[in-house]
Amino acid sequence: MANFKTLDDIDVKGKRVVVRSDLNVPMKDGKVTDATRIERSAETIRELMEKGAKVVVVSHFGRPKGERVAEMSLKPVADALAVVLGKPVAFADDCVGPAAKTVVNALVDGEVAMLENLRYHKAEEKNDPDFARQLAELGDIYVNDAFSTAHRAHASTEAIAQLLPNAAGRLMQAELVALGKALEHPAKPVAAIVGGAKVSTKLDLLGNMVSKVDVLIIGGGMANTFLYAQGKDVGKSLCEKDMADTAREILAKAEAAGCTFILPTDAVIAGEFAANADNSVVSVDAVPADQMILDVGPASVEALKAKLTECKTLVWNGPLGAFEITPFDAATNAVAQAAAALTNTGALLTVAGGGDTVGALAHAGVVDQFSYVSTAGGAFLEWLEGKDLPGVAALKR
């Protein structure tokens, strides 16, 4: 993934730079409630401003489906960005046409403007070439800093990159470098932890992983499906019994690829899905019919911690148990903390992301201790699945 330009490779002084950010942030009553994405995006914007660019920030917000939905305006986000930057942020009430041109043309070197929600135009999600041309008219250079939208072939992520000299922003660069180290050119042995509820939602991911990693660790509800496929009774646990044949095929693929496939050997069970429910630890061969598996057991946790000490790289997607409720967060917490400790000593490169993963690692208190934690959901998953991401492919071209 190294064959793309970065901010180090482009001269931006006096140039109009269209920056595709992902500023789809939580909002309530017209106020941004979590500015994390804005703060992370500000690094690229600030650097471009300091280098004398006229910065034109574009983003989507929500799903207005081509309509002007007042609650999905980016104006409050522009105000929040101004606070983060400590500089004024001009705002245009459209992302193309006269309103956008007026605001962009008024910028002087080192200033920044944000344009209104891209998805107020249906042409954005259709990757319409004419819409992309209208966006490109507002800039001399295009910078994509939104890895989280890179799996979508939209006008602001794919088509515009064909029309302007382009580069990856610092967020995009960090993501691509981290992902490259994790699976494309990893230090071996490589382990992957894949959790979550259902095998059916991660078929492509599992199929790709067995050929890419040395150790594949399965947790969460999907582990129950694999245990069931091996002939074990999983009681009233979450289990996709109709996926048993598929699970056996994945196990066979792993064996053929020389990938060590690790399932829990013991489990924490309870009669109900509730915080602090009466629970006990049993072998996965002895789950009572009226009980459900809600977490990986302590013996399995110790085995996983030992296995990680033998590895050099770890890719993590999905929790090991029902981490949202105590005490069924114990396995996820313990393994995450062990991985973080190995990361801190330099023994393990840890890259995580997708779905509930960020929340699970935050719950375990280790987000800042992993080598890289991606906030990109769909894009991170599609990368794990081995798919070409249109927004990244466009930068490579």
Side-chain angles (χ1 to χ4, degrees):
M1 280 188 179
N3 56 338
F4 56 88
K5 289 183 177 178
T6 71
L7 300 191
D8 299 320
D9 303 310
I10 54 174
D11 178 12
V12 300
K13 184 171 177 57
K15 303 282 180 63
R16 300 169 303 159
V17 182
V18 176
V19 180
R20 177 50 159 108
S21 300
D22 181 359
L23 302 176
N24 194 24
V25 295
M27 201 180 297
K28 186 177 182 182
D29 300 327
K31 298 285 185 183
V32 174
T33 57
D34 182 352
T36 304
R37 282 190 172 181
I38 297 171
E39 289 160 0
R40 294 184 75 179
S41 297
E43 179 184 357
T44 291
I45 296 166
R46 190 179 287 114
E47 181 176 341
L48 290 169
M49 292 170 71
E50 289 170 354
K51 288 180 174 178
K54 300 168 179 137
V55 187
V56 182
V57 180
V58 297
S59 178
H60 71 285
F61 186 81
R63 298 180 183 275
K65 298 180 179 177
E67 304 294 332
R68 289 188 72 91
V69 180
E71 295 77 20
M72 296 181 190
S73 171
L74 280 171
K75 180 64 172 71
V77 181
D79 295 339
L81 176 62
V83 172
V84 171
L85 293 174
K87 303 270 186 179
V89 175
F91 184 74
D93 67 4
D94 204 349
C95 58
V96 291
K101 286 179 179 178
T102 298
V103 170
V104 171
N105 290 340
L107 291 175
V108 300
D109 297 357
E111 289 187 340
V112 60
M114 185 182 295
L115 309 186
E116 186 55 283
N117 193 343
L118 291 160
R119 290 186 184 170
Y120 278 2
H121 297 264
K122 290 181 179 178
E124 157 66 1
E125 294 184 79
K126 290 179 178 177
N127 201 20
D128 182 81
D130 184 59
F131 183 68
R133 274 192 292 275
Q134 292 181 70
L135 289 173
E137 286 172 3
L138 302 171
D140 305 300
I141 296 169
Y142 168 72
V143 169
N144 192 339
D145 207 29
F147 177 80
S148 50
T149 65
H151 60 312
R152 306 291 188 208
H154 290 173
S156 69
T157 61
E158 206 270 343
I160 189 176
Q162 319 302 321
L163 303 174
L164 293 173
N166 61 66
R170 295 305 186 198
L171 263 181
M172 175 74 88
Q173 178 186 355
E175 191 100 29
L176 296 181
V177 168
L179 299 187
K181 285 181 180 176
L183 277 191
E184 292 192 358
H185 310 288
K188 294 194 167 212
V190 184
I193 293 176
V194 180
K198 296 181 177 182
V199 172
S200 57
T201 61
K202 297 193 177 179
L203 282 179
D204 290 345
L205 186 158
L206 294 169
N208 189 47
M209 286 283 114
V210 294
S211 63
K212 286 283 186 78
V213 305
D214 304 292
V215 180
L216 184 54
I217 298 159
I218 304 294
M222 67 168 60
N224 304 333
T225 301
F226 281 99
L227 293 170
Y228 175 80
Q230 292 181 330
K232 302 183 191 304
D233 188 343
V234 295
K236 56 177 193 173
S237 308
L238 177 65
C239 177
E240 293 178 286
K241 295 183 177 179
D242 60 330
M243 296 297 293
D245 287 343
T246 303
R248 285 188 282 268
E249 286 171 14
I250 292 169
L251 288 165
K253 274 186 188 174
E255 185 175 1
C259 171
T260 302
F261 203 98
I262 298 179
L263 290 166
T265 56
D266 63 338
V268 182
I269 59 170
E272 60 176 339
F273 183 86
N276 302 309
D278 287 341
N279 61 87
S280 57
V281 176
V282 298
S283 162
V284 293
D285 294 304
V287 178
D290 64 343
Q291 299 284 294
M292 64 181 78
I293 298 172
L294 291 177
D295 200 11
V296 169
S300 299
V301 167
E302 291 308 310
L304 294 183
K305 287 161 64 176
K307 179 57 73 174
L308 291 183
T309 65
E310 302 170 7
C311 296
K312 297 291 185 187
T313 304
L314 172 66
V315 178
W316 190 321
N317 173 249
L320 295 173
F323 80 95
E324 308 93 337
I325 56 175
T326 54
F328 310 111
D329 55 350
T332 301
N333 290 348
V335 177
Q337 287 157 9
L342 290 168
T343 306
N344 290 336
T345 65
L348 188 67
L349 175 88
T350 44
V351 175
D356 291 332
T357 313
V358 180
L361 297 183
H363 180 72
V366 300
V367 167
D368 295 335
Q369 296 174 60
F370 269 48
S371 306
Y372 192 82
V373 176
S374 172
T375 56
F380 185 84
L381 282 174
E382 290 199 15
W383 172 79
L384 287 184
E385 291 165 3
K387 294 177 179 174
D388 208 14
L389 307 184
V392 174
L395 292 182
K396 289 183 180 182
R397 287 196 292 269

